[in-house]
Amino acid sequence: MTEFSAIAEVLEALAPRVEVEAERWDDVLARAQQLDAAAAADGRVGRLHSAVRALRRRSHERAASRRRRVLVLVGLLLLGFVLIVATAYALGYRLIDFSSAPPAAPRVVERFSSLSIGAPQGMDPRVNADETRLVGEIGGHKLWVAPTKAGGLCYEWSGRGGGCDAPGTVPLGVFGFQTGSWGGHGAPLSEPPIAFQAVGGFARWRWVDAVEIKLDDGSTIRPQLIWISPPIDAGFFYFDAPRGRIVASVLGLKNGEAVVGGQMPRIGARQEPHPYAELSKRQRLAAIETLEGTAALWSAPTKAGLLCTWLEFQGEEVEGLSCLPRGSEHEPGLGYAVYALGGERILAGTCGYSAAAFIHRDGSIRTVSCDDGIVFVKLTAADAAGRIAGVGEDGHVLDGSGGPVPSPTLRR
Amino acid sequence: MKRSAAGAGLDEIEAVYRRRLPELRRVATAITGSREPGLDAVQDAFASAVHRRAQFRGEGSIEGWLWRIVVNAARDVATGLRASPIAQADEPVQLPEPAAERSEPDLAEVQALVRELPDRQRLALFLHYYADLDYATIADALEISAGTVGAALNQAREALRRRLAEAEVRT
């Protein structure tokens, strides 16, 4: 640091002066127009809510009046009231009509398009980038969303990053954000635990109708969900914890009951991927013996109709594989990871085919069956050096449905 | 440019943008730690200002209000660049983020040195040094008193001097 002998030099190095720069006022106005359009679309939905509330208010008044006059009508009016309340309940959240939201700027569309470029086999979200729309601002951050070809979604918050649920089967997707110093993506396990001061994400109405955020002091918050109409069909939320507080957990609720979610991940800490699985109904799907103990794959249903699958080694849970709607495990596709457990390399994951094939470098093929949508197998050296693919009903290897066998993500 | 009436004019916002763009971009770059995200933050901030111009209450200067929006936008971007994805979608895909552009070996040290300063001190220093803003405008931008601006600047300079000296001793 000897070259920086003065504060001015430090600041000059941090943000050097640039003499010639083009102004882009037109771009400012274009971005502002998008915000105006997004606000207008939101306003239309707001007026719809007002109308529903007014309708409900008037129905209350009418019901009270008629109850005094004609007893027979009471039942009918109550029925009407119930219907209106039910409607208001359904609409009692902020709603965004996706088709009315303004299209995203070209630079945003380009970012969504880039998700498919160079994506490993099986990891391409197949997003309809041209349909990306600015659906509004949540927590002070602009939110862009695009549907995927498989019925899922990809999203991005301005300055916050984003993600995809390509098949549309994730009940609750959560993103954690830090406002303090941070070691970066993929920090090693020796790093101190990460603490998140802000969270955002999405919920799917089919499984989750509310989100509850618990802070480290035990207080809970239910952030407003901003529901976006089909083809997105999901509610988004964002929450900044008060100064000095961190987010301890994010739960998805259905009818007031926690159905999915868990502790916020902390690097180096044990995860709980299935806190709402009904463990009394758990089943051991498969087991592999190693020199140092048993690696077993377990599954259990949740009250929300999901099926959670996790991996245990030596009787301890080491990784949650998935918590997906029942039936989705049979959708064509492969999702897998390799674990180094007890001196063995074990591949575990979901398999929507009758079997999975390991294609070795010498051209030979080893096939293993996929039972209940699961692949769980001890790898040979040839398997580990080769590729994996699904096997179709006719017995043909569907090359391209998988990809190279990855390196172990976890070692015990 | 003090006003008594509520609402900011589009032409006034544009005038600040055109007059102050180099300084705005430098401050945003310093806050985000990278040039492209900094430029983007300025564009987004002014778009937001145009969109919300009716909300300007005339309680301070328009320039101070605009600086406040830019600083907040850049801070959002800086926070986002340090965001970490956690248990999320089944097949999580991280959207590409703008990469840091500079790679001089000591830049990271410089950034770390400045980033160690408390938020208020660091931002006051950026606004004062890069934009040469007076204390009143910095106060508007950071929503603090002018007296606090002076104190924050003194503390920032003192802390930087001390850390620079320590760094030189180490080398």
Side-chain angles (χ1 to χ4, degrees):
Chain A
M1 270 298 289
T2 50
E3 65 266 44
F4 294 112
S5 56
I7 295 171
E9 285 180 70
V10 168
L11 294 174
E12 284 296 328
L14 196 61
R17 191 184 305 274
V18 178
E19 295 301 334
V20 181
E21 287 186 305
E23 290 180 355
R24 292 190 290 153
W25 180 246
D26 287 348
D27 175 59
V28 168
L29 294 179
R31 294 181 192 211
Q33 269 183 344
Q34 285 194 347
L35 293 176
D36 292 343
D42 196 21
R44 283 196 292 277
V45 175
R47 285 194 291 279
L48 174 63
H49 289 179
S50 299
V52 169
R53 281 195 295 273
L55 180 60
R56 192 174 74 169
R57 212 165 39 239
R58 282 199 296 276
S59 296
H60 276 299
E61 291 161 3
R62 284 189 202 127
S65 166
R66 291 177 188 179
R67 263 199 305 269
R68 284 193 296 271
R69 295 180 199 167
V70 187
L71 191 60
V72 177
L73 285 179
V74 167
L76 293 172
L77 287 170
L78 281 175
L79 178 62
F81 173 75
V82 168
L83 287 173
I84 290 165
V85 168
T87 307
Y89 178 77
L91 297 176
Y93 301 88
R94 205 172 140 206
L95 296 175
I96 303 282
D97 177 14
F98 184 71
S99 63
S100 299
R107 65 191 170 86
V108 178
V109 172
E110 195 177 325
R111 283 209 294 275
F112 276 75
S113 298
S114 70
L115 292 172
S116 296
I117 299 171
Q121 284 176 336
M123 294 295 283
D124 178 358
R126 298 196 305 139
V127 61
N128 294 323
D130 290 343
E131 295 176 33
T132 308
R133 291 177 183 269
L134 173 63
V135 294
E137 277 195 15
I138 303 179
H141 300 279
K142 282 184 283 188
L143 174 66
W144 293 278
V145 182
T148 66
K149 289 182 173 61
L153 59 87
C154 289
Y155 65 98
E156 180 190 349
W157 268 296
S158 56
R160 288 300 204 181
C164 292
D165 165 25
T169 52
V170 174
L172 176 68
V174 181
F175 234 61
F177 304 107
Q178 287 184 282
T179 53
S181 58
W182 174 65
H185 293 280
L189 292 175
S190 58
E191 289 288 312
I194 278 182
F196 297 100
Q197 291 89 24
V199 284
F202 63 87
R204 292 192 177 278
W205 177 266
R206 183 174 165 194
W207 302 287
V208 173
D209 60 18
V211 169
E212 185 172 277
I213 295 167
K214 191 171 183 179
L215 302 181
D216 58 340
D217 64 355
S219 58
T220 58
I221 300 98
R222 290 194 183 182
Q224 185 188 33
L225 284 166
I226 289 107
W227 293 96
I228 300 170
S229 68
I232 302 303
D233 205 17
F236 283 79
F237 65 94
Y238 183 88
F239 173 74
D240 272 314
R243 181 177 287 271
R245 297 266 67 88
I246 61 169
V247 176
S249 64
V250 181
L251 310 180
L253 312 181
K254 185 73 174 180
N255 299 327
E257 191 174 348
V259 292
V260 67
Q263 306 297 310
M264 294 296 286
R266 283 166 175 262
I267 286 178
R270 187 169 175 268
Q271 307 294 303
E272 293 183 62
H274 58 89
Y276 302 100
E278 295 185 90
L279 294 182
S280 62
K281 297 179 183 175
R282 74 175 188 166
Q283 288 186 316
R284 195 164 93 160
L285 302 177
I288 292 174
E289 294 302 328
T290 76
L291 290 174
E292 296 176 21
T294 304
L297 209 56
W298 290 83
S299 79
T302 74
K303 288 177 183 173
L306 306 174
L307 190 67
C308 294
T309 309
W310 68 95
L311 179 64
E312 290 187 3
F313 182 59
Q314 297 172 337
E316 281 197 8
E317 184 180 305
V318 293
E319 180 102 316
L321 299 183
S322 63
C323 272
L324 296 172
R326 282 176 180 278
S328 64
E329 69 271 20
H330 297 300
E331 291 172 7
L334 278 170
Y336 48 86
V338 174
Y339 306 89
L341 301 174
E344 302 287 353
R345 287 189 176 206
I346 295 171
L347 182 142
T350 56
C351 173
Y353 304 102
S354 59
F358 291 97
I359 306 157
H360 302 156
R361 286 182 171 173
D362 63 3
S364 61
I365 292 176
R366 181 168 82 103
T367 303
V368 295
S369 65
C370 295
D371 299 321
D372 296 323
I374 294 291
V375 57
F376 187 57
V377 60
K378 188 190 291 186
L379 297 180
T380 65
D383 294 338
R387 291 177 293 120
I388 184 173
V391 177
E393 291 299 322
D394 57 2
H396 281 90
V397 174
L398 304 169
D399 209 356
S401 57
V405 174
S407 301
T409 57
L410 188 143
R411 295 175 188 275
R412 289 281 171 90
Chain B
M1 201 183 283
K2 290 271 184 183
R3 290 165 57 95
S4 54
L10 185 59
D11 53 343
E12 292 171 301
I13 296 172
E14 184 180 357
V16 173
Y17 177 87
R18 292 194 186 282
R19 181 162 48 85
R20 284 296 209 167
L21 191 55
E23 294 89 359
L24 288 160
R25 286 175 171 175
R26 282 191 88 189
V27 168
T29 298
I31 294 172
T32 59
S34 192
R35 184 171 156 69
E36 279 305 318
L39 304 190
D40 208 40
V42 172
Q43 297 298 106
D44 272 347
F46 270 79
S48 177
V50 169
H51 172 63
R52 294 157 40 195
R53 61 187 183 276
Q55 295 170 18
F56 176 63
R57 290 173 294 181
E59 291 171 351
S61 67
I62 283 186
E63 183 163 345
W65 178 66
L66 290 169
W67 275 108
R68 189 186 316 156
I69 295 171
V70 170
V71 166
N72 288 337
R75 291 174 78 188
D76 274 355
V77 170
T79 306
L81 289 176
R82 295 196 296 272
S84 168
I86 58 164
Q88 37 147 0
D90 179 37
E91 298 284 348
V93 178
Q94 183 62 29
L95 287 157
E97 290 174 344
E101 287 173 347
R102 292 191 299 269
S103 58
E104 292 90 335
D106 287 308
L107 185 55
E109 283 183 68
V110 170
Q111 287 177 329
L113 200 67
V114 177
R115 208 167 265 152
E116 283 170 12
L117 294 173
D119 252 17
R120 181 181 291 175
Q121 293 178 22
R122 189 175 71 252
L123 296 174
L125 190 68
F126 289 166
L127 292 169
H128 185 65
Y129 181 82
Y130 294 123
D132 200 21
L133 295 185
D134 57 35
Y135 283 14
T137 310
I138 295 174
D140 274 355
L142 301 183
E143 296 182 282
I144 56 179
S145 71
T148 306
V149 172
L153 281 171
N154 285 335
Q155 289 162 355
R157 289 193 194 102
E158 184 51 40
L160 268 184
R161 272 192 209 104
R162 196 170 53 245
R163 283 166 196 176
L164 281 167
E166 287 168 2
E168 291 202 2
V169 166
R170 281 201 301 274
T171 57

